[in-house]
Amino acid sequence: MGTETKDGTPGAEGAARPNAPESPGPESSAPRPSAPRPPGPTPSAPPRFVALGDSLTEGLGDPLPGGGWRGWAALLAEALGERPGSVRLVNLAESGALAGDVAERQLPAARLLAPRFASLVVGANDTLRAAFDIAEVAAALDRAHGTLTADGAVVLTACLPDPGRMLGLPAPLARPLARRMRAVNTVVHAVSARYGGVHLHLADHRWVADRACWSVDRLHPSERGHRLLAHGFHAALTGAGLPAGPSPALTPDGPPPTRTASAWWMATRGTRWVADRCTDLLPGLLALAWQECRHGLAGSGRLLDAAAERATRTALAALGPVRP
């Protein structure tokens, strides 16, 4: 598989990419779906697969022997195109990215690369923020998906399992997060259908419940999980009649993490990773949990579900008609 630098210049075959690409420019310069397509590579350049999103697409949970991450996007890129390795991957995903970050920072960089394929898998981090706003998430996803589609890219999306379930949180804490994740997934489904994207139904996939498919933090896939993700996207592409090579292999090529290694990761890095993403949420989540308990005792929990559904419908209605 070929890789490239952020500006689209070819890099070493199989080389690890930087984990955190720089912002391509001022936020105000980010193009809208109706903006003209920026200059792309020359016709002789190989087709590109540009991956946008957060740490799931960055590859956390699937380490490379020499350091860095591989992940499902790299595995899928090897199976795209008329022959293995003919499609170059540029991975712009950043750990901790929100939907707004993708639309404001990653999208302009992706457009300059004129990708043939683009993935847009983001939203889980938004559910872990106190200022969660489904309308903002919907607007950002619609902007990114609409722009990439208008530029001629095949856009891949996925709905995701809720983090409360994956972390095994108590019901009063898990339910608010599940409600938020349902809202995000509803938006992702609607936006993908709106622009004719290729969507992977991951939230309720049978392998999601397999502990071996997840890393020690329970939020990122293990190597096996990343391979299943790549395999699922490959099947979705071929099911849509798009050309692809042989399906990515499902057999891991690296040893599974030992309990000692997993414990060391959690002690040295994992705890900080979780804390960085939940410190902002914790006070608000406790308030949501108290609200959940009150409604549970009153038998009115359905009112919270109804309010979330109304907010989601309003967010989608605000997107307006599809612009050409």
Side-chain angles (χ1 to χ4, degrees):
M1 177 191 69
T3 59
E4 300 183 6
T5 58
K6 182 168 71 70
D7 62 1
T9 56
E13 291 291 319
R17 53 167 175 74
N19 281 339
E22 297 177 355
S23 172
E27 295 183 358
S28 60
S29 65
R32 296 290 177 179
S34 57
R37 179 172 176 165
T42 62
S44 60
R48 293 189 176 101
F49 169 29
V50 177
L52 298 84
D54 54 28
S55 55
L56 175 69
T57 300
E58 188 183 22
L60 262 69
D62 184 20
L64 290 166
W69 307 103
R70 177 176 54 183
W72 68 266
L75 295 166
L76 178 62
E78 295 174 353
L80 295 177
E82 297 179 356
R83 62 184 187 281
S86 63
V87 174
R88 293 187 177 275
L89 171 69
V90 180
N91 197 332
L92 301 176
E94 299 178 74
S95 181
L98 306 175
D101 298 326
V102 169
E104 297 295 341
R105 297 204 301 263
Q106 297 178 25
L107 177 61
R111 296 193 79 204
L112 293 174
L113 299 171
R116 175 71 181 94
F117 302 93
S119 63
L120 182 62
V121 182
V122 70
N125 286 319
D126 291 87
T127 68
L128 298 174
R129 294 297 185 270
F132 174 76
D133 186 336
I134 190 59
E136 292 182 0
V137 173
L141 291 175
D142 183 76
R143 176 182 174 188
H145 204 315
T147 300
L148 291 167
T149 302
D151 284 351
V154 175
V155 182
L156 308 175
T157 60
C159 54
L160 303 172
D162 74 84
R165 172 188 173 190
M166 301 309 299
L167 290 170
L169 296 178
L173 296 174
R175 284 175 187 152
L177 293 181
R179 198 174 287 117
R180 289 179 171 188
M181 199 70 246
R182 280 197 303 272
V184 171
N185 285 339
T186 298
V187 166
V188 172
H189 276 282
V191 171
S192 180
R194 177 176 165 92
Y195 294 108
V198 176
H199 183 74
L200 179 61
H201 299 274
L202 179 63
D204 298 316
H205 204 287
R206 62 182 181 276
W207 68 259
V208 169
D210 184 353
R211 186 66 185 86
C213 294
W214 297 91
S215 62
V216 63
D217 65 10
R218 299 190 182 187
L219 289 174
H220 299 96
S222 61
E223 181 190 347
R224 175 171 170 75
H226 278 285
R227 287 187 175 277
L228 285 164
L229 256 173
H231 189 272
F233 274 120
H234 182 273
L237 285 165
T238 56
L242 295 166
S247 180
L250 290 176
T251 304
D253 54 20
T258 63
R259 289 187 177 182
T260 301
S262 297
W264 177 253
W265 184 90
M266 182 58 78
T268 58
R269 297 185 60 190
T271 302
R272 179 176 179 180
W273 189 94
V274 173
D276 286 346
R277 278 144 187 81
C278 293
T279 299
D280 170 67
L281 173 67
L282 188 56
L285 184 57
L286 293 176
L288 290 173
W290 171 244
Q291 182 184 50
E292 199 77 33
C293 290
R294 285 194 300 107
H295 279 275
L297 291 172
S300 56
R302 66 186 183 279
L303 297 179
L304 297 175
D305 294 332
E309 291 169 4
R310 284 196 303 272
T312 304
R313 288 195 301 269
T314 300
L316 290 173
L319 299 180
V322 175
R323 285 176 286 181

